[in-house]
Amino acid sequence: MKSRAAVLRDVGVDWEVTDIELDPPLAGEVLVKMAFAGICHSDEHFYTGDSVPSKDMEELMRASGMRVPEWFPMLGGHEGSGIVEEVGPGVTSLKPGDHVAISFFPACGSCRWCVTGHTYLCDVGADIYSKEMTTDGTRRRHLGDEDLMAMMQVGTFSEYVVASERSLVKINDWISLEAASLVSCGVTTGFGSGSVAAGTQIGDTVVVIGVGGIGMNAVQGAKAAGAKHIVAVDPNEFKRQSAPTFGATHTSTDAGAAVELVKELTWGVMADRVVLTPGVLPPDLVLVAMMLLRKGGTCVVTSMAKVTDMMVPLILPDMVSSCKTLKGVLYGEMNPREAMPRLLSMYEAGSLRLDELITQRYKLDDINEAMRDLRAGRNIRGVIAFD
């Protein structure tokens, strides 16, 4: 079948809205008619090339036995929600008419990581940059005579999505599909980073650096975990002004300025948790984040750095003598099938703000405008509305 979709052909090239061809869902697969898709910085990283290795790096990857994906052409989008149109043989958890939110981790449920509660590290889910389906290793998405790599095995910048049953989470049909589209990635990743992954406890002081679509939800996560002080750091005035709505108690224009503020708030003890969620993580920011931490504190690295940034400045004696933790975090260390319904139930109860995150709605044809607004920091979260 044909589907109108946004395709990225190479680094630095504008998104192209065109008709692609989708094969019918086969065993273990589902066809979804999309309702909403979120605009996330992860897609932007491929436009800028921040997530695309150089040719030299690819050669090193091959030499070390790593598989190098065929990045382009790429069907974009990994956040979203929609309604099941058709199911393939063997699908038992979904049926036509079901409302679903997209999970960009097609977790198998049976590998070592899944059975120990770490589905965000699933062996199957790790293969999210591949033109082959995780179900049977064949390809479903085409643009003329070329096969498409679908962003994180879903490709939500499309009127229709063919994905593994494992990539979809059924939601209650009375939940807003627009709100549900946000828990696919941004809300869950941010909320978990500010609560579960950071280990935030009641009375903590938490600093969130970068309060866009991920960071603003880290603020919400820290608040839900009982943080006393939540400092939102961002150079963008609009985002700083919005942060108190989501639970920030203080704001700062940059991490350096936040050092004195946190010192004053904590009587010199410094922050219990620091969460790094800028759009692109500059290595030097890690050094300042560690300076913001108290003894025994935890710094969570959620945002992506440029793939070429392989050196991070650290004051190692301080890290050791002060027992500070620097940790990388994926999906906020949350498990999609449990976390997404739970967060939506919090939204339904009024204890999680989702509607307020959406600052602009776009049509699919406006994808390049949406990306420009993301770059300019005009949105907390922009969404594509398909109807």
Side-chain angles (χ1 to χ4, degrees):
M1 66 175 293
K2 290 192 180 298
S3 178
R4 195 80 171 155
V7 173
L8 189 66
R9 289 190 177 271
D10 207 341
V11 172
V13 178
D14 278 353
W15 292 84
E16 176 186 347
V17 179
T18 186
D19 287 332
I20 65 170
E21 191 72 30
L22 295 176
D23 296 338
L26 297 184
E29 298 170 4
V30 178
L31 175 69
V32 177
K33 187 178 189 300
M34 293 300 297
F36 296 93
I39 305 294
C40 180
H41 219 112
S42 295
D43 298 281
E44 172 70 2
H45 287 316
F46 286 88
Y47 170 84
T48 60
D50 290 343
S51 288
V52 181
S54 66
K55 297 300 180 185
D56 289 343
M57 287 187 69
E58 288 187 349
E59 287 304 316
L60 286 173
M61 291 167 68
R62 291 189 183 94
S64 63
M66 295 175 64
R67 179 182 172 278
V68 178
E70 299 176 64
W71 303 104
F72 302 106
M74 185 183 83
L75 170 60
H78 60 283
E79 285 191 357
S81 61
I83 300 175
V84 173
E85 189 94 349
E86 181 184 345
V87 300
V91 173
T92 58
S93 65
L94 296 169
K95 64 181 185 304
D98 282 347
H99 288 204
V100 292
I102 306 295
S103 166
F104 70 81
F105 283 109
C108 70
S110 57
C111 71
R112 169 187 176 181
W113 313 108
C114 284
V115 298
T116 54
H118 304 92
T119 59
Y120 48 89
L121 294 177
C122 173
D123 287 335
V124 173
D127 197 21
I128 53 177
Y129 296 122
S130 173
K131 291 187 176 182
E132 289 77 31
M133 301 290 290
T134 57
T135 50
D136 64 3
T138 60
R139 301 179 176 189
R140 298 284 175 278
R141 311 158 184 110
H142 319 281
L143 179 61
D145 59 357
E146 295 181 283
D147 295 321
L148 291 163
M149 187 272 277
M151 182 74 169
M152 298 182 179
Q153 287 286 349
V154 284
T156 59
F157 292 169
S158 176
E159 293 172 328
Y160 291 88
V161 164
V162 174
S164 166
E165 176 183 14
R166 297 165 175 167
S167 294
L168 305 169
V169 176
K170 183 179 178 180
I171 60 172
N172 294 317
D173 58 12
W174 59 80
I175 294 289
S176 157
L177 282 170
E178 185 177 50
S181 71
L182 303 183
V183 299
S184 293
C185 171
V187 171
T188 314
T189 298
F191 189 94
S193 295
S195 57
V196 177
T200 303
Q201 299 178 5
I202 294 172
D204 275 356
T205 294
V206 179
V207 180
V208 180
I209 303 178
V211 284
I214 304 292
M216 205 67 84
N217 290 294
V219 169
Q220 294 207 82
K223 179 184 178 182
K228 175 178 61 176
H229 299 307
I230 304 171
V231 181
V233 180
D234 202 293
N236 186 301
E237 184 179 0
F238 161 64
K239 292 177 181 177
R240 290 199 310 275
Q241 289 178 345
S242 301
T245 303
F246 297 92
T249 58
H250 301 77
T251 64
S252 179
T253 56
D254 63 78
V259 172
E260 289 303 317
L261 171 61
V262 172
K263 188 180 294 184
E264 181 181 347
L265 289 173
T266 62
W267 302 342
V269 173
M270 304 307 288
D272 302 279
R273 327 286 164 186
V274 176
V275 184
L276 288 170
T277 48
V280 180
L281 178 62
D284 290 351
L285 190 55
V286 177
L287 178 64
V288 184
M290 296 298 281
M291 291 171 61
L292 279 160
L293 275 183
R294 65 160 167 82
K295 296 177 182 179
T298 298
C299 177
V300 168
V301 180
T302 299
S303 63
M304 296 297 292
K306 294 179 180 180
V307 72
T308 52
D309 286 337
M310 293 180 283
M311 303 292 287
V312 176
L314 287 172
I315 303 174
L316 289 177
D318 175 59
M319 188 172 180
V320 173
S321 61
S322 296
C323 297
K324 295 180 180 180
T325 298
L326 175 66
K327 63 183 293 189
V329 167
L330 194 59
Y331 209 66
E333 293 187 352
M334 300 188 84
N335 297 306
R337 294 197 178 280
E338 182 276 331
M340 291 163 71
R342 175 155 57 99
L343 291 174
L344 289 173
S345 71
M346 291 174 65
Y347 162 72
E348 187 179 22
S351 56
L352 182 69
R353 291 176 175 267
L354 296 183
D355 298 327
E356 295 84 353
L357 292 168
I358 300 171
T359 43
Q360 185 66 39
R361 295 163 181 83
Y362 305 88
K363 295 297 183 184
L364 182 62
D365 286 337
D366 301 324
I367 182 66
N368 287 299
E369 178 189 349
M371 288 299 181
R372 285 192 294 270
D373 287 347
L374 180 146
R375 283 172 220 139
R378 296 190 182 101
N379 291 328
I380 299 172
R381 213 34 150 206
V383 297
I384 293 171
F386 286 92
D387 292 328

